[in-house]
Amino acid sequence: MRGHDWINTCLPDELVVEIFRRLDSKRSRDACSLVSIRIGATGSPDLFVHLLSTRFSNVTNVHIDERLSISLPVHLQGRRRGVENSSASSLKLNYLNVNNGSEEGDLDSLCLSDVGLAALGDGFPKLEKLSLIWCSNVTSDGLASLAQKCSSLKALDLQGCYVGDQGLSAVGQCCKQLEDLNLRFCEGLTDKGLIELALGVGKSLKSLGVAACAKITDSSMEAVGSHCISLETLSLDSEFIHNQGVLAVAEGCPQLKVLKLQCINVTDDALEAVGASCLSLELLALYSFQRFTDKGLCAIGNGCKKLRNLTLSDCYFLSDKGLESIATGCKELTHLEINGCHNIGTLGIESVGRSCQRLTELSLLYCQRIGDVGLLQVGEGCKFLQALHLVDCSNLGDAAMRGIAIGCSNLKKLHIRRCYEIGTKGIVAVGEHCKSLTDLSIRFCDRVGDEALIAIADGCSLHYLNVSGCHQIGDAGVIAIARGCPQLCYLDVSVLQNLGDLAMAELGENCPLLKEIVLSHCRQITDVGLAHLVKRCTMLESCHMVYCSGITSAGVATVVSSCPNIKKVLVEKWKVSQRTKRRAGSIISYLCVDL
Amino acid sequence: MELLCIRQWISGLLPTVKKWLSAWCIKPVGGALVRQEPEYILLALMGSPLKKIMLCSSEKEIFSVEEQVMVQHSVIINNMIEDGSYNHEESKIPLDCVDSKTLKKVIDYCTHHTHHHNDNQEDLEAWDAQFLNVDSNGLYDLLMAANYLEIRNLLDLIYGTIKNMIKGKKIDEIRRIFNIKDHGFTPEEEEQNRKEYPHFY
C-alpha cells in the first residue's frame, strides 16, 4: 500500500467533513475543495452544484436534503465512464448540515447558499421539480435568481428554508407553469408572499400544501380561493387558519378533489361549507385534535357524494352517528381509516359494512370500542375488501377474523398488531378462505401459534410476512411457510425466542426470492443457520440482526460476501470486521447504544 | 496473597530495589523509547493484580492492557465493559478493524496519557508530536482506529495534524502529500479552476 491515496478512496464521508470543519479559514477550505472532486463535493456544496450543472445538462428534477448524511451520486464516483452528456434527468443530493451552532468561525460554506442555487438555475434551465429540504443558508435572493432562469418550473417543495416573501413573489412572476407548491416550516414567509404567488400562478396551480408556517393566515387562503380556480389538492396544517380561510377555498375552488386538514381552530362551519360547495371531493382527511362533531361529518355525508377516501384521525368528538351518515351518503367509499377516534364503536362500523359495498381498504387503529359484530357485518357486506389494518383493537377476536375470512375472499393484505384476543383459530380461518392473500402481518398477537402458519402456508402464497413478537411460533410454523410460500420476499421473525437454525435452512432451500429479513432478538439463530440462509437467497437486500447472541462477526461477513445485492445490514458495531467494513462499509448500519 | 498485601510489600521493597530496577525500565514501545515506571514492572513480575483486559487485533494477536486505561479513552470499550458483554475470565475483545501495529500504537497512546496526565503541557505535546511522526498510511490507520474505538483526544490530535498538513499549502503540494494522483476533475474543469484561482496552485 505504498503511497496510498486514502482520502479519495477509503476515508468515509463523515471524516472528510470533520477535516473540513477544522480548517478555520475560508482560504483553506476553498483551496481544499479544489484538491479533488471527492473532497470538493463533500465539503463544498456550492462548488459541487456548479460542477454538476456543467456535467449534466438534461436535469429536470433536483432534490437537495441537508438533514441527512452525505452521499455522492453514483455516476460521479465512476468518473471514468465519460459523464459529459449524461442522460440523467433526476439528481438527489443529501448533505450533512454541520452548522451545529458552534462558534467555530465561518462554517457557512459547508451548506448550499444562494450562490449555489443561482448556479443551479444557470445550469439547469429546464428544471421542472425542485425540492430544498432544510437548506438553511438559502434566501429569497437565491430563489429569485433561480426562478428567473427556470421558467418551466412545475413543482416547488420548500421545507425548513428561511426564504422570504420576495422569493415566492419572484416564483409567482416567472414560473407560470407552477402546478405544485409545498411549504413546510418556512418561517420567513408571510401572507404577502403567498398572496403574490397566488396572483401570479393562480391559473396553473393545482396542488398546495402549507404546514407549520406561522405567518400564513386566512388572508392567503382568501387569495387562493379568489385566484386558484384550478386547485384540486389542499393540505393545511396550521393553528393560524380558521373557518374563514377554509370557507374561502371551499367556495372559490369548485374542482377541489383532495382536502387534508390539521387545523385546531377550524370547526363544523368549515365542514358544512365543504359539504355544500365541494361536490367533486374525493379524499377527505381530518387529523388530530379537531373540534369537529357529527354535525360537520353529516354535512359531508349529505354533500360530497363522490367521496372515495376518508381518514379520521384523533377526532374525539365524532361518533357512530357521524360515521353512519357518511356510510349512507357516500356509497362510493373505497378507503376508510379510523385512528384513535374513541367515540366511534361497533354501530358505526356496522353501518359501513351495510352501506359501503365498494370498500376495498379498511383501517381501524386504536379502536377499542369496536367489537366482533362490527367486523362480521363488514365481512357480509364488503365483498371487495382487499386490505384490512387493525391495530390495538382489543375487543376483536377470532369470531371477527372468521367473519372477515369467509366474507372477504378477495382479501390481499391483512395487518394486525397487538389485537390480543385474536388467536390461532382466527388466522386458520384466514388461511382456509383467503386464497388471494399475499401480505400478512400479525405482530405481537401472542396467542397465535404454529398451526396458524401451517394453515396460511397451505392456503395462501405469501409475499410478505411479519410475525414479530408472536412468541408461540417456532420452527414448525416458519418451516411450513418456507415450504408453502416460495414467493416470499419479506420476512420479519424478530423477537421469536423459539426460532432456530432449522427454519433458516429451510428458508434458504425454498425461498430464493427473499429480499428483506429481520432476525433481531432471535437468540437461537447462529452463524450456521445464517450461512444456510444466504447461500441460496442471493437476492437478499436487507438484513437486520441486532441482539442475536448466536451470530458473530463471521456470520456478518458471510452475509456481506454471499449477497451481491445487499443494501442494508443492521448489526452491532463490534461484530463488523475490518475486511467486512472495507468490503461493504456504506451499507452497514450500527445499533446505537448511546441513547 | 491479597491485593493489599502485595501493594504493601511492594511499597516496602521499592526504595531499595528502585535503583537496580531502573536499569531494566527502558523498553522500546511502538518505535519510541519509553520509561516504564518501576512499580508497574514489579507488579508485572508478580502477576498483575491490576484489572487487565485483552484486546485482539485483526491479525489475532492478543494485547493485554489495563482496563482502566482503555476505559478512560475509548468510548466503545467503555460501553462494552459497562453493558456486560465483556467477561474478564475468558473473553477478549475482538477488534477486527485494527491491525496489530496500529493497535499497539493506540494502546501506547492511551497508556501514556493515563500514566502521564499530570505531566506539563509541553512534555505531553512533544510526546504527541513524536507519536504522530508516521507516514501518510500510518496516519490513516491511526485515524480509522481512533474513529472506530471513539478515542476523542487522539482523534482531535490526528485531525489537528492533518489540518497542519493542509493549511497554507498549494494544491499541488497537498496532492503530493496525500498521494492523490487522480483528482477526478476533467481536464477542462482543472484548467478552469487553475485560471480562476491561480494563487491556490
Side-chain angles (χ1 to χ4, degrees):
Chain A
M1 234 185 30
R2 269 201 97 160
H4 177 62
D5 172 9
W6 46 265
I7 278 190
N8 276 337
T9 58
C10 301
L11 204 63
D13 292 334
E14 318 83 74
L15 303 195
V16 177
V17 174
E18 279 295 316
I19 293 175
F20 245 90
R21 274 187 66 211
R22 288 152 201 267
L23 294 173
D24 43 24
S25 77
K26 188 169 186 303
R27 186 210 174 274
S28 299
R29 283 202 293 277
D30 287 345
C32 204
S33 310
L34 298 173
V35 169
S36 78
I37 202 174
R38 194 260 166 128
I39 297 178
T42 309
S44 191
D46 289 347
L47 168 87
F48 187 47
V49 163
H50 179 74
L51 264 175
L52 279 179
S53 57
T54 55
R55 288 194 184 196
F56 299 91
S57 44
N58 291 325
V59 168
T60 53
N61 291 8
V62 173
H63 177 108
I64 300 181
D65 189 331
E66 290 196 344
R67 291 168 305 180
L68 310 176
S69 62
I70 291 160
S71 64
L72 272 178
V74 177
H75 14 265
L76 264 176
Q77 285 170 340
R79 52 193 175 272
R80 286 264 167 265
R81 279 183 235 137
V83 287
E84 266 309 316
N85 286 314
S86 172
S87 56
S89 65
S90 168
L91 279 175
K92 198 166 178 200
L93 307 174
N94 299 327
Y95 267 99
L96 179 66
N97 185 340
V98 291
N99 256 337
N100 55 4
S102 63
E103 321 83 63
E104 280 177 50
D106 170 33
L107 286 172
D108 290 343
S109 62
L110 288 171
C111 310
L112 187 75
S113 72
D114 286 336
V115 171
L117 203 58
L120 209 68
D122 275 323
F124 303 130
K126 297 193 212 143
L127 198 65
E128 288 179 11
K129 265 183 90 169
L130 176 65
S131 304
L132 299 173
I133 317 286
W134 291 94
C135 301
S136 44
N137 258 357
V138 166
T139 73
S140 289
D141 293 335
L143 189 58
S145 25
L146 184 136
Q148 279 154 20
K149 307 276 172 51
C150 304
S151 53
S152 314
L153 196 67
K154 286 216 178 93
L156 178 63
D157 184 358
L158 295 174
Q159 296 190 30
C161 302
Y162 299 115
V163 172
D165 291 330
Q166 305 97 302
L168 221 58
S169 328
V171 172
Q173 280 164 25
C174 307
C175 308
K176 294 295 183 189
Q177 299 183 43
L178 195 73
E179 292 178 3
D180 195 323
L181 177 67
N182 187 35
L183 305 167
R184 198 179 154 82
F185 287 109
C186 296
E187 291 171 11
L189 286 177
T190 72
D191 285 326
K192 183 163 177 291
L194 194 50
I195 291 174
E196 283 182 28
L197 183 126
L199 265 163
V201 301
K203 294 202 182 66
S204 57
L205 200 68
K206 289 215 178 94
S207 165
L208 175 65
V210 177
C213 298
K215 299 189 194 121
I216 291 183
T217 71
D218 294 323
S219 323
S220 298
M221 293 303 120
E222 283 171 340
V224 169
S226 310
H227 301 282
C228 302
I229 45 174
S230 313
L231 198 71
E232 292 179 9
T233 300
L234 179 66
S235 171
L236 292 174
D237 175 355
S238 165
E239 50 194 80
F240 302 100
I241 293 187
H242 306 78
N243 285 337
Q244 191 184 344
V246 179
L247 248 137
V249 176
E251 286 169 7
C253 307
Q255 302 195 35
L256 203 65
K257 291 207 177 83
V258 173
L259 180 63
K260 298 186 189 174
L261 294 176
Q262 185 169 341
C263 309
I264 59 173
N265 285 321
V266 172
T267 69
D268 286 331
D269 291 343
L271 279 190
E272 284 182 322
V274 170
S277 314
C278 301
L279 306 177
S280 312
L281 200 69
E282 291 178 12
L283 189 152
L284 177 66
L286 304 174
Y287 299 102
S288 307
F289 312 118
Q290 308 278 41
R291 285 148 65 176
F292 301 127
T293 69
D294 290 333
K295 185 160 158 238
L297 215 58
C298 291
I300 300 284
N302 286 334
C304 305
K305 298 293 179 191
K306 290 196 188 158
L307 197 69
R308 294 226 197 109
N309 193 320
L310 178 66
T311 299
L312 301 170
S313 178
D314 290 314
C315 298
Y316 186 72
F317 299 107
L318 297 177
S319 77
D320 292 326
K321 185 156 164 282
L323 193 57
E324 257 175 279
S325 146
I326 292 280
T328 48
C330 309
K331 301 243 184 255
E332 304 290 312
L333 204 66
T334 57
H335 285 67
L336 177 64
E337 176 180 325
I338 301 179
N339 184 340
C341 302
H342 296 292
N343 276 322
I344 291 180
T346 307
L347 284 171
I349 303 301
E350 265 187 290
S351 56
V352 170
R354 268 194 298 269
S355 310
C356 302
Q357 313 253 331
R358 295 194 202 271
L359 201 69
T360 56
E361 189 164 331
L362 178 65
S363 300
L364 302 173
L365 315 173
Y366 308 100
C367 298
Q368 274 108 10
R369 290 189 53 197
I370 296 179
D372 287 346
V373 176
L375 246 63
L376 281 169
Q377 186 62 57
V378 170
E380 278 183 36
C382 306
K383 295 292 173 198
F384 299 109
L385 197 70
Q386 289 184 15
L388 178 63
H389 293 251
L390 303 170
V391 173
D392 263 342
C393 296
S394 47
N395 256 333
L396 292 178
D398 288 332
M401 274 300 104
R402 248 187 98 73
I404 292 285
I406 294 173
C408 308
S409 48
N410 288 320
L411 200 67
K412 291 204 174 78
K413 182 172 175 183
L414 179 62
H415 279 207
I416 308 175
R417 192 159 137 197
R418 293 199 301 265
C419 297
Y420 300 123
E421 293 301 310
I422 293 177
T424 303
K425 277 211 211 94
I427 306 301
V428 164
V430 172
E432 283 170 0
H433 295 100
C434 301
K435 300 297 177 192
S436 310
L437 195 75
T438 57
D439 188 335
L440 177 66
S441 172
I442 43 176
R443 296 174 72 175
F444 294 100
C445 294
D446 51 11
R447 293 183 54 205
V448 178
D450 285 327
E451 307 84 65
L453 283 192
I454 293 170
I456 293 283
D458 208 21
C460 322
S461 181
L462 293 182
H463 292 200
Y464 177 112
L465 177 64
N466 186 334
V467 290
S468 172
C470 303
H471 54 78
Q472 290 193 35
I473 292 176
D475 284 335
V478 178
I479 288 174
I481 289 287
R483 289 182 187 160
C485 305
Q487 312 274 354
L488 201 67
C489 298
Y490 176 102
L491 179 65
D492 183 338
V493 288
S494 54
V495 197
L496 294 191
Q497 311 286 1
N498 293 325
L499 196 67
D501 288 338
L502 280 172
M504 292 295 111
E506 203 69 36
L507 281 167
E509 278 292 316
N510 293 303
C511 301
L513 300 178
L514 199 63
K515 276 210 187 120
E516 292 182 50
I517 189 159
V518 181
L519 304 169
S520 303
H521 292 274
C522 290
R523 270 187 279 150
Q524 293 195 34
I525 295 180
T526 73
D527 290 342
V528 174
L530 201 58
H532 279 286
L533 177 73
V534 297
K535 195 161 57 175
R536 305 282 290 273
C537 295
T538 51
M539 297 190 61
L540 204 65
E541 289 179 8
S542 164
C543 182
H544 290 216
M545 41 187 174
V546 287
Y547 293 108
C548 297
S549 47
I551 294 179
T552 71
S553 55
V556 178
T558 309
V559 172
V560 168
S561 54
S562 309
C563 305
N565 294 322
I566 195 95
K567 291 195 176 79
K568 177 158 190 219
V569 173
L570 181 70
V571 73
E572 288 90 343
K573 199 168 184 179
W574 49 273
K575 283 188 187 170
V576 182
S577 70
Q578 169 79 310
R579 187 199 282 161
T580 307
K581 228 186 180 178
R582 261 204 296 268
R583 196 172 185 149
S586 58
I587 62 163
I588 302 185
S589 309
Y590 299 113
L591 177 67
C592 179
V593 290
D594 296 338
L595 289 172
Chain B
M1 255 195 206
E2 294 283 355
L3 177 58
L4 206 50
C5 298
I6 295 176
R7 282 190 180 276
Q8 283 169 346
W9 183 68
I10 290 169
S11 30
L13 274 181
L14 266 176
T16 53
V17 304
K18 212 166 179 171
K19 255 194 193 155
W20 59 265
L21 261 186
S22 61
W24 293 17
C25 292
I26 307 227
K27 183 177 163 172
V29 174
L33 291 178
V34 169
R35 259 178 163 267
Q36 284 275 47
E37 298 304 306
E39 289 90 332
Y40 288 100
I41 294 278
L42 209 50
L43 283 168
L45 291 174
M46 293 304 303
S48 36
L50 285 174
K51 225 181 197 181
K52 293 262 182 133
I53 53 174
M54 307 215 275
L55 305 180
C56 183
S57 75
S58 59
E59 292 148 328
K60 303 291 176 231
E61 205 179 321
I62 301 195
F63 294 82
S64 176
V65 66
E66 280 170 47
E67 179 182 306
Q68 183 212 166
V69 162
M70 289 318 293
V71 155
Q72 243 174 43
H73 287 94
S74 165
V75 174
I76 288 291
I77 293 184
N78 183 44
N79 287 348
M80 263 191 230
I81 289 182
E82 254 184 33
D83 76 20
S85 42
Y86 179 74
N87 175 331
H88 283 273
E89 269 77 62
E90 12 178 291
S91 35
K92 46 192 189 308
I93 297 181
L95 299 174
D96 294 331
C97 285
V98 191
D99 65 24
S100 294
K101 175 166 160 244
T102 312
L103 186 54
K104 209 189 270 192
K105 265 192 96 74
V106 168
I107 291 175
D108 277 347
Y109 177 88
C110 299
T111 312
H112 180 87
H113 275 260
T114 299
H115 294 166
H116 291 254
H117 71 274
N118 284 326
D119 280 10
N120 66 47
Q121 200 57 25
E122 279 159 23
D123 284 346
L124 278 175
E125 279 175 13
W127 190 92
D128 283 345
Q130 169 74 318
F131 174 78
L132 275 189
N133 190 9
V134 292
D135 67 9
S136 170
N137 291 345
L139 196 64
Y140 168 73
D141 288 335
L142 276 171
L143 176 58
M144 296 301 279
N147 184 51
Y148 175 66
L149 292 169
E150 288 184 51
I151 303 175
R152 190 80 253 152
N153 42 3
L154 180 56
L155 271 173
D156 285 341
L157 182 67
I158 296 174
Y159 284 131
T161 302
I162 294 179
K163 167 185 158 181
N164 290 334
M165 285 160 88
I166 293 176
K167 193 164 147 177
K169 302 236 170 46
K170 304 265 183 218
I171 288 177
D172 290 327
E173 179 75 10
I174 297 174
R175 283 177 182 164
R176 198 186 55 78
I177 294 175
F178 288 103
N179 299 306
I180 295 172
K181 295 188 180 64
D182 184 358
H183 48 69
F185 293 106
T186 64
E188 295 79 22
E189 285 162 356
E190 179 72 358
E191 198 186 303
Q192 179 70 20
N193 288 343
R194 281 179 193 260
K195 246 194 259 170
E196 265 183 74
Y197 307 99
H199 43 288
F200 284 155
Y201 291 84

